[in-house]
């Protein structure tokens, strides 16, 4: 009997302790944002939405005001475990901040960044109507839907003949299902067509173009937001001459914060490695109003408008090209060499999320190299030697059969590449040695402003009274940052931080405070400045307490302990005193 009793006791105790553990686990997981979150599995791929779940977590409403920076920073902040999952999976799958994208209204207002002259312009009543073709592969639902809404929202109704979404064999079932349901409820006019195997951007666009019946084709990337009056100026130019192919100015939607920023007026070029680049516009053009069309040697590729019949006459795209790369130069050369014009329309603006990397790979290898070879062999005549100088390994790479494209060139009676260089791109440098010529300009480099120092001082960790100091030399990249006794002597460069207008912290004005949140240990370190998201630090100040928030990671700067030598890392923002920092200004 006593044995039975103690067994029963044991079972009751066991049940109780399991219950207590579960309860504690629940409390810790839910109420303490610090617990578990930082150390939880990264890149959790579990699906966020279940079949049957309604769209109550989506924000369709337009609240009328442009989202202020503070609001966007707040949306970027990770507050729950679910936020963390959305954030991490979003960066992994899409290379931008899906956490913010999901919270923004689908028809959010954008700053009208057009030149004043543009705002006063009037366009003909009678313009050709358009088929908007948007190809996507595993795109983030909210970004894709926002692209579509922005088109309907900011275009005159009668000009939108149709919107065609080309699903290039996405393998995200949930996306397919949500899209179907959302469109049928909210945007029933949108056509969705799906390829039966992965085609890549180039063939997917041709697929979409073949289904289109509007007078003009407008190709858009699947993560854009078109801006006020984006369509009319492009259509006006096409209606003047059907051989005008036009591109808008591509403004920047920050991939981490979704802040909309105007791009400078630049045109498209390329270097001899066959990489697209942005070229500054010459001073003479610059002097004009910034509202007239500007001829551009090439296009970036993602967004342009072209008369539909002319697109077919001119040979669409090269169907022998794979997934991505090179097609934008191919169509640019073809337009110019075969009798068309390619222009940038400064009054037309479309925002585009500039991702930091291409989040998918090309099945079947390096599509960029193969595609570039098809371009140089078809269009560049004797100038192709400069490509081989830069990429000698290209000589051995196969690129398939281009005889159809050469026949097209002949049939259309296209001009030589020398004509193109002399007449369209005279500023292109012809290398005399084996040089690649000028390097490519990233859009980001062109908009990089002067460095403006806002404050200079010690970065003090208030919880410990210690200061942020570099472990190694201030010139050494990847040197870890840690807490050390504050050194107020003026010569101490290892602790002197320069806070800039661009929200960077530069140690001794040399390298930048940087955290790669995807890295396992995730410690703060010094890196070459200019990496944007991982180097952006926003002061979160509340009740006299200030924290350093990093919008890209959605987290705050912290230390693990209050001892000298403690490294700095990221943590979910909370009111822990470990997260409090301040600048002690020094002259
Ligand atoms: C939707 O947007 C409004 C206005 O910006 C905001 O107040 C609200 O919190 C958002 N809703 C969600 C679920 O994010
Ligand atoms: C677009 O233009 C074509 C050709 O003029 C016309 O047949 C079609 O009905 C127009 N579409 C719309 C939606 O008005
Ligand atoms: C290349 O394609 C053309 C036309 O499609 C064909 O006539 C020719 O035989 C092909 N060449 C090779 C080497 O396969
Ligand atoms: C403080 O900085 C000065 C100048 O770099 C240096 O000479 C001194 O040793 C430092 N003091 C401490 C305690 O590290």
């Amino acid at each position: 009997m006593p044995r039975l009793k103690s067994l029963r006791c044991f079972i009751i105790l066991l049940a109780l302790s399991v219950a207590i553990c579960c309860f504690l686990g629940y409390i810790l997981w839910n109420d303490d944002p610090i617990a578990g979150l930082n150390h939880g599995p990264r890149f959790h791929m579990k699906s966020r939405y279940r079949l049957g779940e309604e769209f109550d977590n989506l924000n369709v409403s337009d609240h009328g005001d442009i989202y202020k920076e503070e609001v966007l920073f707040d949306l970027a902040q990770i507050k729950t475990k679910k936020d963390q999952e959305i954030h991490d999976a979003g960066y992994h799958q899409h290379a931008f901040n899906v956490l913010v994208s999901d919270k923004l209204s689908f028809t959010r207002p954008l700053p009208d960044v057009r030149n004043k002259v543009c705002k006063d312009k009037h366009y003909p009543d009678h313009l050709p109507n358009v088929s908007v073709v948007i190809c996507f592969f595993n795109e983030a639902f909210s970004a894709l839907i926002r692209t579509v809404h922005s088109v309907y929202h900011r275009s005159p109704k009668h000009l939108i003949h149709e919107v065609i979404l080309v699903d290039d064999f996405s393998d995200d079932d949930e996306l397919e299902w949500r899209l179907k349901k959302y469109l049928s409820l909210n945007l029933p006019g949108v056509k969705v067509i799906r390829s039966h195997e992965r085609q890549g951007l180039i063939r997917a666009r041709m697929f979409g173009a073949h289904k289109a019946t509007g007078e003009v084709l407008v190709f858009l990337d699947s993560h854009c937001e078109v801006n006020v009056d984006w369509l009319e100026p492009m259509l006006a130019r096409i209606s003047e001459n059907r051989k005008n192919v036009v591109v808008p100015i591509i403004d920047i939607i920050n991939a981490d914060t979704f802040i909309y920023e105007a791009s400078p007026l630049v045109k498209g070029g390329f270097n001899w490695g066959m990489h697209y680049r942005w070229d500054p516009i010459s001073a003479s053009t610059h002097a004009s109003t910034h509202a007239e069309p500007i001829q551009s040697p090439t296009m970036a590729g993602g967004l342009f408008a072209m008369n539909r019949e002319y697109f077919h006459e001119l040979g669409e795209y090269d169907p022998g090209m794979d997934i991505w790369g090179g097609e934008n130069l191919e169509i640019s050369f073809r337009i110019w060499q075969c009798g068309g014009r390619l222009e940038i329309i400064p009054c037309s603006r479309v925002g585009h999320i500039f991702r930091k990397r291409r989040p998918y790979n090309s099945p079947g290898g390096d599509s960029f190299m193969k595609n570039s070879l098809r371009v140089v062999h078809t269009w560049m005549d004797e100038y192709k030697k400069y490509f081989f100088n830069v990429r000698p390994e290209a000589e051995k790479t196969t690129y398939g059969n281009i005889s159809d494209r050469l026949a097209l060139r002949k049939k259309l009676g296209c001009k030589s590449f020398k004509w193109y260089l002399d007449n369209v791109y005279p500023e292109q440098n012809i290398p005399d040695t084996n040089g690649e010529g000028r390097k490519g300009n990233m859009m980001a480099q062109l908009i990089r402003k002067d460095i403006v120092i806002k404050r200079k001082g010690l970065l003090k960790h208030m919880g410990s009274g210690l200061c942020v100091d570099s472990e190694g030399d201030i010139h050494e990249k990847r040197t870890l940052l840690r807490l050390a006794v504050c050194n107020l002597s003026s010569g101490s460069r290892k602790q002197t931080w320069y806070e800039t207008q661009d929200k960077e912290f530069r140690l001794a004005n040399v390298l930048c405070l940087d955290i790669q949140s995807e890295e396992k240990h995730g410690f703060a370190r010094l890196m070459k400045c200019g990496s944007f998201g991982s180097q952006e630090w926003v002061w979160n100040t509340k009740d006299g307490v200030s924290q350093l928030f990093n919008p890209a990671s959605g987290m705050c700067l912290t230390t693990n302990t209050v001892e000298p030598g403690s490294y700095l890392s990221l943590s979910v923002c909370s009111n822990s005193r470990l997260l409090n920092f301040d600048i002690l200004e020094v002259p």
Side-chain angles (χ1 to χ4, degrees):
M1 273 312 185
R3 268 184 69 186
L4 202 64
K5 211 170 186 175
S6 65
L7 186 65
R8 201 190 286 155
C9 237
F10 176 69
I11 289 172
I12 290 172
L13 272 177
L14 191 71
L16 252 173
S17 49
V18 167
I20 289 171
C21 279
C22 287
F23 181 64
L24 275 180
Y26 176 79
I27 295 267
L28 285 176
W29 194 242
N30 280 280
D31 285 349
D32 183 355
I34 306 276
L37 267 182
N38 290 322
H39 316 289
R42 286 307 173 107
F43 306 142
H44 209 281
M45 305 288 277
K46 206 179 81 195
S47 69
R48 286 189 279 128
Y49 303 95
R50 276 164 287 116
L51 285 175
E53 194 170 337
E54 287 308 323
F55 295 97
D56 51 358
N57 53 348
L58 292 173
N59 220 336
V60 192
S61 67
D62 181 346
H63 63 128
D65 293 324
I66 291 166
Y67 286 86
K68 294 200 177 79
E69 282 198 6
E70 306 89 85
V71 175
L72 292 170
F73 293 147
D74 186 57
L75 296 181
Q77 196 164 316
I78 288 170
K79 288 169 184 158
T80 64
K81 181 170 169 289
K82 188 171 175 189
D83 286 350
Q84 180 97 62
E85 281 177 17
I86 295 171
H87 174 276
D88 292 355
Y91 271 97
H92 182 64
Q93 294 175 325
H94 307 294
F96 60 81
N97 199 337
V98 174
L99 181 63
V100 175
S101 178
D102 281 3
K103 291 181 189 166
L104 296 179
S105 149
F106 287 150
T107 51
R108 68 160 171 162
L110 298 175
D112 182 356
V113 294
R114 291 172 303 163
N115 177 304
K116 177 163 183 325
V117 182
C118 297
K119 296 182 190 177
D120 298 337
K121 276 202 170 197
H122 294 284
Y123 298 98
D125 289 335
H126 226 77
L127 290 170
N129 65 29
V130 303
S131 293
V132 179
V133 177
I134 301 169
C135 301
F136 67 95
F137 173 70
N138 289 353
E139 184 56 271
F141 176 79
S142 55
L144 176 59
I145 288 295
R146 190 171 300 105
T147 307
V148 178
H149 267 296
S150 76
V151 167
Y152 281 113
H153 200 62
R154 300 207 178 86
S155 315
K157 211 174 180 157
H158 68 282
L159 294 182
I160 301 294
H161 177 70
E162 62 190 344
V163 174
I164 300 176
L165 298 184
V166 185
D167 177 354
D168 186 14
F169 202 57
S170 299
D171 50 22
D172 183 344
D173 297 340
E174 189 180 296
L175 171 67
E176 202 183 340
W177 173 82
R178 291 185 77 199
L179 199 58
K180 203 174 276 176
K181 178 155 181 189
Y182 185 85
L183 294 177
S184 68
L185 288 174
N186 300 286
L187 297 165
V190 174
K191 298 179 181 133
V192 183
I193 54 179
R194 185 174 153 89
S195 53
H196 297 298
E197 57 180 324
R198 181 85 188 280
Q199 298 292 329
L201 178 72
I202 297 147
R203 287 189 293 262
R205 280 189 171 173
M206 290 165 70
F207 183 46
H210 287 162
K211 301 281 184 211
T213 53
E215 297 169 86
V216 165
L217 288 171
V218 178
F219 292 102
L220 286 182
D221 271 355
S222 52
H223 37 263
C224 291
E225 286 169 75
V226 304
N227 211 327
V228 187
D229 292 349
W230 70 295
L231 193 56
E232 298 92 321
M234 291 199 289
L235 295 179
R237 193 63 183 160
I238 292 172
S239 67
E240 281 167 31
N241 185 338
R242 67 193 284 275
K243 294 187 174 180
N244 288 337
V245 179
V246 293
V247 288
I249 293 190
I250 307 173
D251 287 326
I252 298 160
I253 299 171
N254 185 301
D256 297 314
T257 59
F258 277 68
I259 291 171
Y260 189 103
E261 190 173 0
S263 287
L265 189 51
V266 287
K267 42 185 195 170
F270 68 94
N271 68 15
W272 295 105
M274 299 308 285
H275 288 280
Y276 178 81
R277 74 171 175 220
W278 305 94
D279 280 341
I281 288 188
S282 65
S284 56
T285 321
H286 221 265
S288 78
T289 63
H290 280 197
E292 296 308 312
I294 292 165
Q295 82 168 48
S296 181
T298 69
M299 66 161 101
L303 334 168
F304 69 96
M306 183 170 186
N307 176 288
R308 183 170 59 83
E309 279 164 10
Y310 186 51
F311 177 74
H312 295 304
E313 271 166 48
L314 203 64
E316 305 179 358
Y317 273 116
D318 174 356
M321 285 189 173
D322 294 333
I323 309 298
W324 76 276
E327 86 289 347
N328 58 327
L329 298 188
E330 196 269 344
I331 197 169
S332 305
F333 297 161
R334 185 152 42 85
I335 290 165
W336 280 115
Q337 286 173 252
C338 310
R341 266 183 84 76
L342 178 55
E343 293 179 338
I344 292 168
I345 308 296
C347 290
S348 173
R349 289 187 171 261
V350 175
H352 173 257
I353 302 174
F354 281 82
R355 300 171 301 184
K356 290 169 186 139
R357 59 184 167 83
R358 203 165 292 277
Y360 50 82
N361 51 17
S362 321
D366 183 357
S367 65
F368 179 82
M369 173 61 102
K370 176 187 167 187
N371 296 351
S372 297
L373 277 164
R374 293 182 70 86
V375 182
V376 302
H377 284 296
T378 307
W379 297 103
M380 288 173 66
D381 309 328
E382 68 275 21
Y383 291 87
K384 67 184 167 201
K385 69 177 179 229
Y386 298 118
F387 174 65
F388 291 108
N389 286 345
V390 178
R391 301 291 298 271
E393 72 277 19
E395 306 253 21
K396 291 191 286 282
T397 309
T398 56
Y399 54 91
N401 185 342
I402 57 166
S403 60
D404 286 350
R405 299 309 279 179
L406 290 171
L408 173 75
R409 180 172 169 176
K410 199 160 168 206
K411 185 184 103 191
L412 295 173
C414 307
K415 298 194 179 83
S416 68
F417 202 70
K418 181 172 189 320
W419 175 89
Y420 167 81
L421 288 175
D422 290 346
N423 293 281
V424 181
Y425 202 11
E427 63 273 36
Q428 173 69 311
N429 65 327
I430 310 296
D432 42 10
T433 57
N434 287 352
E436 186 168 347
R438 274 177 301 140
K439 279 274 189 283
N441 297 316
M442 303 291 283
M443 182 60 107
Q445 287 167 319
L446 285 174
I447 61 158
R448 194 105 184 113
K449 299 162 212 103
D450 295 335
I451 295 155
V452 180
I453 308 290
K454 275 170 64 184
R455 289 199 286 180
K456 171 186 169 197
L458 283 73
L459 183 53
K460 189 166 179 184
H461 182 243
M462 304 312 281
S464 62
L466 299 169
C467 283
V468 179
D469 179 290
S470 69
E471 190 167 62
D473 188 79
I474 56 163
H475 296 95
E476 194 188 315
K477 273 185 234 160
R478 293 175 203 285
T479 278
L480 293 182
L481 297 165
R482 49 154 202 202
L483 294 182
V485 174
C486 298
N487 186 341
L488 293 163
S489 99
S490 58
S492 176
R493 302 181 74 202
K494 279 161 74 79
Q495 291 188 3
T496 308
W497 292 92
Y498 291 70
E499 182 183 358
T500 71
Q501 196 81 50
D502 284 344
K503 307 185 179 69
E504 295 165 334
F505 281 81
R506 297 169 166 248
L507 186 58
N509 208 2
V510 182
L511 298 174
C512 275
L513 169 60
D514 181 295
I515 290 195
Q516 300 292 325
S517 60
E518 306 90 53
E519 282 190 14
K520 263 196 225 86
H521 60 70
F523 289 134
R525 57 190 185 171
L526 290 178
M527 291 301 277
K528 186 165 179 249
C529 297
S531 299
F532 305 101
S534 58
Q535 296 177 356
E536 187 176 19
W537 301 97
V538 181
W539 286 106
N540 253 353
T541 307
K542 232 191 0 234
D543 308 328
V545 173
S546 50
Q547 306 180 335
L548 280 174
F549 174 63
N550 174 242
S553 65
M555 296 195 270
C556 283
L557 192 66
T558 187
T559 66
N560 295 328
T561 72
V562 291
E563 306 298 322
S566 178
Y567 292 124
L568 283 87
S569 57
L570 289 171
S571 147
V572 169
C573 305
S574 70
N575 48 22
S576 161
R577 66 193 188 106
L578 287 176
L579 277 59
N580 299 348
F581 290 87
D582 212 343
I583 288 267
L584 271 187
E585 287 193 60
V586 296

